[in-house]
């Protein structure tokens, strides 16, 4: 069974731009969670989607948003990029959200 | 108040020894617990999950859960240099996961 895939793997953007990241979960998994990982803050939860509905949201500004499609694929968007948004963005899928999560390889975002 | 506490380390053990990683949590309603291994520059890889009190063994790995004392641990037997990584503890409540900041483990050949 194929794992979680994320595209693109690397991105370089400038301040003020916006970015969209994509995640395809493991086949059959309906829950997708997004995390931001930085050396100083560790893994920070962004949001979780299940059956196209956002069920949980972390403590991030409204510039961070996401959505999930009917095939469980998910996207997250960051608008008006700031230097502090430079991080590894990880997507994780789970069968229901209460079961174990499996991570994708991540998208490394650099904001200059 | 942090949701999950881990000793950041670094923890160093000689090859062949037992590495012991510990994690405490504050929410008694936590239902599930997970250990992830993360190599530098890579994404976290699930290595163990445990839902019930007691021990769960998988190869060289043993997860131990004590809900009364609110701790979960990971034992790695016969540690190998390839086990050198950061180990993340996580707990699940409802549909949300909470991660610790990780413990860095170095296995010395």
């Amino acid at each position: 069974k194929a794992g979680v895939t994320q595209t693109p793997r690397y991105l370089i953007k400038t301040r003020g731009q916006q970015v969209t990241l994509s995640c395809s979960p493991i086949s059959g998994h309906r829950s997708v969670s997004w995390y931001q990982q930085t050396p100083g803050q560790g893994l920070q939860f962004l949001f979780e989607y299940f059956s196209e509905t956002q069920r949980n949201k972390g403590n991030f500004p409204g510039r961070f948003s996401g959505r999930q499609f009917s095939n469980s694929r998910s996207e997250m968007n960051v608008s008006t990029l700031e230097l502090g948004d430079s991080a590894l963005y990880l997507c994780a899928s789970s069968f229901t959200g209460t079961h174990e999560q499996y991570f994708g390889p991540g998208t490394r975002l650099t904001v200059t | 108040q942090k949701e999950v506490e881990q000793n950041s380390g670094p923890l160093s053990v000689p090859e062949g020894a037992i590495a012991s990683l510990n994690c405490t949590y504050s929410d008694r309603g936590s239902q599930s617990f997970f250990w992830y291994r993360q190599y530098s520059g890579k994404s976290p890889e699930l290595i163990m999950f445990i839902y019930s009190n007691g021990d769960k063994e998988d190869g060289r790995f043993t997860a131990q859960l004590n809900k009364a004392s609110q701790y979960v641990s990971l034992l790695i037997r016969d540690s190998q240099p390839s086990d050198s990584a950061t180990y993340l503890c996580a707990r699940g409540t409802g549909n949300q996961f909470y991660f610790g900041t990780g413990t860095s483990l170095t296995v010395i050949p």
Side-chain angles (χ1 to χ4, degrees):
Chain A
K1 189 182 273 190
V4 180
T5 59
Q6 290 186 247
T7 56
R9 294 293 311 279
Y10 302 92
L11 265 180
I12 299 176
K13 293 284 189 178
T14 57
R15 278 180 297 176
Q17 288 186 313
Q18 76 166 21
V19 66
T20 299
L21 311 180
S22 180
C23 170
S24 292
I26 291 171
S27 178
H29 285 191
R30 296 168 64 188
S31 169
V32 173
S33 297
W34 287 90
Y35 297 86
Q36 180 195 68
Q37 188 174 38
T38 59
Q41 297 296 319
L43 265 173
Q44 302 289 309
F45 172 74
L46 281 156
F47 25 67
E48 187 255 356
Y49 287 88
F50 181 84
S51 292
E52 303 179 66
T53 300
Q54 185 183 92
R55 295 194 297 191
N56 291 293
K57 190 177 191 306
N59 189 26
F60 277 81
R63 300 185 296 108
F64 292 82
S65 63
R67 59 178 175 169
Q68 187 179 35
F69 302 94
S70 58
N71 61 358
S72 295
R73 189 178 69 85
S74 178
E75 289 181 346
M76 68 163 282
N77 185 77
V78 188
S79 62
T80 320
L81 284 166
E82 300 177 359
L83 293 179
D85 296 333
S86 294
L88 179 66
Y89 289 88
L90 292 159
C91 158
S93 79
S94 167
F95 182 59
T96 63
T98 57
H99 292 78
E100 56 275 14
Q101 292 187 338
Y102 296 89
F103 283 87
T107 295
R108 174 78 60 185
L109 172 64
T110 302
V111 182
T112 61
Chain B
Q1 184 179 12
K2 291 186 178 179
E3 301 285 352
V4 177
E5 295 272 1
Q6 288 184 261
N7 187 331
S8 62
L11 174 66
S12 295
V13 299
E15 184 175 354
I18 296 175
S20 177
L21 305 164
N22 300 305
C23 172
T24 59
Y25 59 94
S26 55
D27 182 3
R28 288 190 176 274
S30 298
Q31 300 160 327
S32 50
F33 302 87
F34 308 86
W35 283 99
Y36 289 83
R37 176 177 62 199
Q38 187 172 25
Y39 293 113
S40 180
K42 301 293 186 182
S43 63
E45 173 193 8
L46 178 68
I47 54 174
M48 291 287 288
F49 57 89
I50 185 167
Y51 299 144
S52 304
N53 271 329
D55 295 0
K56 179 181 179 182
E57 187 174 316
D58 184 1
R60 296 186 296 111
F61 299 97
T62 299
Q64 300 174 317
L65 174 60
N66 185 321
K67 289 189 176 182
S69 300
Q70 296 177 251
Y71 81 79
V72 58
S73 62
L74 179 70
L75 300 177
I76 306 175
R77 290 182 299 281
D78 188 24
S79 295
Q80 301 297 308
S82 59
D83 295 327
S84 298
T86 296
Y87 288 80
L88 301 169
C89 168
R91 68 170 185 90
T93 299
N95 312 312
Q96 191 162 342
F97 279 45
Y98 299 89
F99 283 83
T101 54
T103 298
S104 176
L105 171 67
T106 299
V107 180
I108 304 167

